[in-house]
Amino acid sequence: MCGKPVLSFSDPNHKLLIKGNYTKSAFLPHSNKPEDIAKIIDEIVSSKEFRDELFENERTFVTNSTDKEWISNWWDELFEKYSQKYGKIHKNSSSISIKIRMGLFLIGNRFYWGKIKKLIKI
């Protein structure tokens, strides 16, 4: 978003599932060895063409992989599929164990909120 290329290790052995298709990441480096990272950094610093090309490739990749409409539809379909398949979120849990877990969660959050209030002195 700030118009600069980003360095982010992307394993060449892993492909990303984007809009139903597997694709490789546009981010560099593809190796996490310090020498390879240093070479990429040197190339970015010394070559405006490389820097601009890397930025454009990354921007295109992110733009194509973050279509809000497609992502929201995908999540909706996923939730619909699993809610129809299982009918409820607590597949094998008894109502007592669910209530105990919820109570422990609420108690834990209350303790956590107390710590936050002490830190910011509310």
Side-chain angles (χ1 to χ4, degrees):
M1 292 185 69
C2 64
K4 304 294 181 211
V6 174
L7 287 182
S8 176
F9 170 67
S10 60
D11 189 345
N13 298 323
H14 292 106
K15 292 187 177 183
L16 304 170
L17 180 62
I18 299 173
K19 297 182 184 179
N21 298 315
Y22 286 97
T23 185
K24 287 187 175 186
S25 173
F27 292 93
L28 294 177
H30 295 295
S31 168
N32 58 1
K33 294 179 184 175
E35 309 85 44
D36 296 335
I37 295 170
K39 287 178 187 174
I40 297 292
I41 292 171
D42 289 342
E43 189 71 25
I44 288 172
V45 170
S46 63
S47 173
K48 180 172 176 25
E49 293 82 24
F50 179 80
R51 185 172 52 242
D52 291 343
E53 181 182 346
L54 179 61
F55 165 69
E56 193 57 42
N57 289 341
E58 291 171 345
R59 187 175 68 78
T60 302
F61 176 77
V62 170
T63 302
N64 291 337
S65 63
T66 56
D67 178 12
K68 295 174 195 168
E69 186 72 27
W70 185 87
I71 291 171
S72 63
N73 288 335
W74 185 83
W75 278 107
D76 285 346
E77 289 172 12
L78 181 72
F79 288 131
E80 286 285 329
K81 174 182 159 186
Y82 282 99
S83 66
Q84 289 173 0
K85 183 176 180 179
Y86 295 110
K88 59 182 183 173
I89 196 166
H90 309 291
K91 184 178 168 193
N92 293 321
S93 300
S94 70
S95 63
I96 294 171
S97 67
I98 293 169
K99 289 178 183 176
I100 290 171
R101 282 198 313 258
M102 287 173 58
L104 291 173
F105 172 77
L106 293 172
I107 290 168
N109 276 340
R110 180 72 181 143
F111 288 143
Y112 187 67
W113 177 244
K115 290 178 184 179
I116 291 173
K117 284 185 352 185
K118 283 181 186 176
L119 285 174
I120 59 175
K121 298 179 182 167
I122 293 178

